[in-house]
Amino acid sequence: MTESGARLDHLVSVLKGRGYRLTPQRKAVLQILAASDGHLSVEQIYARVKKDFPMTSLATVYKTVTLLKEMGEVLELGFSDGGNRYDGRKPYPHPHLICIRCRKIIDPEVTALSHLPQEVASSTGYRIVNHRLDFFGICPECQAAENQAGNNSAGQAARRNSIRRW
Amino acid sequence: MTESGARLDHLVSVLKGRGYRLTPQRKAVLQILAASDGHLSVEQIYARVKKDFPMTSLATVYKTVTLLKEMGEVLELGFSDGGNRYDGRKPYPHPHLICIRCRKIIDPEVTALSHLPQEVASSTGYRIVNHRLDFFGICPECQAAENQAGNNSAGQAARRNSIRRW
DNA sequence: TATTAACGGATAATGATTATCTGTTACGAT
DNA sequence: ATCGTAACAGATAATCATTATCCGTTAATA
């Protein structure tokens, strides 16, 4: 049994265990979420589903993803400027590293964060139910591309204007 | 000189230093951002600006806030489900604690995070330019309200359905 | 295989944000 | 002080990811 196969079985059993139907369209979405290495957009899921089920509607992808999110089996990475991403393999909070140029997202290893929610809870009295840690940066590939673009005015001006003091 | 007065002076000098005009509408937005304890929505800023300048347009508030954000003088807290918030007093990354019931946002004290960006940068090769840490929970007031609502079905069913394994 | 609530497809609606257009104004130069 | 002008403000249309709605279809159970 592959890892994605086990994950798919789990998603199917959770769905059925809660009395939801397993339709071909849903199964296709589950397969994609279980097989992907995470961080898919709805449009990406939609495009892949349509390879097997060309009649599938975008609304169905939204509905299935939302259903899985509400069951706690998919992690939604929402962004205010559109293009939310969905992780069907690690549906629990974990840090993300996002390239602001190509929008690639990876999961960096970050040490010793598990105590933070408890720390915040006891210092504030809030009941913590979720958290999120995102790092934004430029991936090595896009750094190389920027250096290629190189010594022309546009890139340098843009870089000069992005002053950061942290 | 009050703290918000100093902050306002700083915002004004940055604006003028970059050659932008200081209009009454902009000054009103700057004052509000400098005086508020952070985390204002555009609608909140808009409502306060209109007390002094009733003719002010919502678009102007958006434009001013975006301008300050691009200058690095305002921190934008974007949320995928709308209602972004703006912090004009601490425009650098810092943790936030968000009540998922009443949408109140506070700045919790969280220890020893400053090394994380560097850690992620060196382990991944990304150039880190920003980061964000949000905790989501229920504030003490909303917890009390939930307990008041108490032993009726709706609240309990909702709580039963929000299964969390982390 | 029949029943039926749940579901899928198509598309309209939503709503925060952005773009566009036009008349006005802050501000350095005169 | 006034002028000239690019920058600005107001009004509102456009955008676009997401959600809601409606109706025909179907998975799951008996």
Side-chain angles (χ1 to χ4, degrees):
Chain A
M1 171 73 71
T2 63
E3 186 190 337
S4 72
R7 180 73 191 148
L8 177 59
D9 286 351
H10 173 73
L11 294 177
V12 169
S13 69
V14 169
L15 212 59
K16 304 207 77 168
R18 299 214 189 177
Y20 292 104
R21 286 192 198 161
L22 186 62
T23 63
Q25 296 89 338
R26 275 186 183 164
K27 193 169 183 181
V29 172
L30 298 194
Q31 279 175 340
I32 290 159
L33 285 170
S36 153
D37 49 358
H39 322 120
L40 292 170
S41 69
V42 168
E43 286 293 342
Q44 285 175 316
I45 298 170
Y46 180 51
R48 296 189 195 183
V49 170
K50 288 222 288 190
K51 289 178 183 171
D52 292 330
F53 296 91
M55 291 298 293
T56 303
S57 158
L58 182 58
T60 296
V61 177
Y62 271 104
K63 285 185 248 190
T64 302
V65 162
T66 300
L67 181 62
L68 291 168
K69 178 184 67 175
E70 286 168 355
M71 298 193 314
E73 296 296 337
V74 156
L75 179 69
E76 180 182 61
L77 287 179
F79 296 98
S80 60
D81 48 355
N84 294 357
R85 304 293 198 89
Y86 296 88
D87 185 341
R89 302 187 73 170
K90 294 166 65 180
Y92 46 84
H94 59 279
H96 289 93
L97 177 52
I98 299 145
C99 180
I100 60 178
R101 297 276 186 268
C102 67
R103 288 273 170 178
K104 177 171 52 191
I105 301 180
I106 68 175
D107 294 350
E109 299 294 329
V110 180
T111 57
L113 295 173
S114 54
H115 66 289
L116 288 182
Q118 178 55 48
E119 176 185 328
V120 172
S122 53
S123 69
T124 64
Y126 278 54
R127 179 154 57 88
I128 307 296
V129 299
N130 202 356
H131 63 90
R132 182 164 168 192
L133 174 56
D134 289 342
F135 296 90
F136 299 90
I138 302 175
C139 70
E141 293 73 25
C142 287
Q143 287 180 48
E146 285 190 357
N147 292 337
Q148 280 300 321
N151 297 343
N152 59 26
S153 54
Q156 292 195 337
R159 237 166 289 134
R160 268 198 305 277
N161 285 332
S162 71
I163 298 169
R164 293 267 83 93
R165 29 191 115 33
W166 48 77
Chain B
M1 170 74 70
T2 62
E3 187 191 337
S4 72
R7 180 71 190 150
L8 177 59
D9 286 351
H10 174 73
L11 294 178
V12 169
S13 70
V14 170
L15 211 60
K16 303 208 77 168
R18 299 212 190 179
Y20 292 103
R21 287 192 198 162
L22 185 61
T23 63
Q25 296 88 340
R26 274 185 184 164
K27 193 168 184 182
V29 171
L30 298 195
Q31 279 174 342
I32 289 159
L33 286 169
S36 153
D37 49 359
H39 322 120
L40 292 171
S41 68
V42 168
E43 286 293 342
Q44 286 174 317
I45 298 169
Y46 181 50
R48 297 189 193 183
V49 170
K50 287 222 288 192
K51 288 178 184 171
D52 292 329
F53 296 90
M55 291 298 295
T56 303
S57 158
L58 183 59
T60 296
V61 178
Y62 272 105
K63 283 185 258 193
T64 303
V65 162
T66 299
L67 180 63
L68 291 168
K69 177 183 70 175
E70 286 168 355
M71 298 192 315
E73 296 295 337
V74 157
L75 179 69
E76 180 182 62
L77 288 179
F79 295 98
S80 60
D81 48 356
N84 293 357
R85 304 293 198 90
Y86 297 87
D87 186 342
R89 302 187 72 169
K90 294 166 64 180
Y92 45 85
H94 59 278
H96 290 93
L97 175 51
I98 299 145
C99 179
I100 60 177
R101 297 275 186 267
C102 67
R103 288 274 171 178
K104 178 171 51 193
I105 300 179
I106 68 174
D107 294 351
E109 298 294 329
V110 180
T111 57
L113 293 172
S114 55
H115 66 289
L116 288 182
Q118 178 54 49
E119 176 186 327
V120 172
S122 53
S123 69
T124 64
Y126 279 53
R127 179 155 55 89
I128 307 296
V129 299
N130 203 355
H131 63 90
R132 182 166 168 191
L133 174 56
D134 288 342
F135 296 91
F136 299 91
I138 303 175
C139 70
E141 292 73 25
C142 287
Q143 288 180 48
E146 285 189 356
N147 291 336
Q148 279 300 321
N151 297 344
N152 59 28
S153 54
Q156 292 194 340
R159 238 165 287 133
R160 270 198 305 278
N161 284 331
S162 73
I163 297 170
R164 294 268 83 95
R165 18 188 127 33
W166 48 78

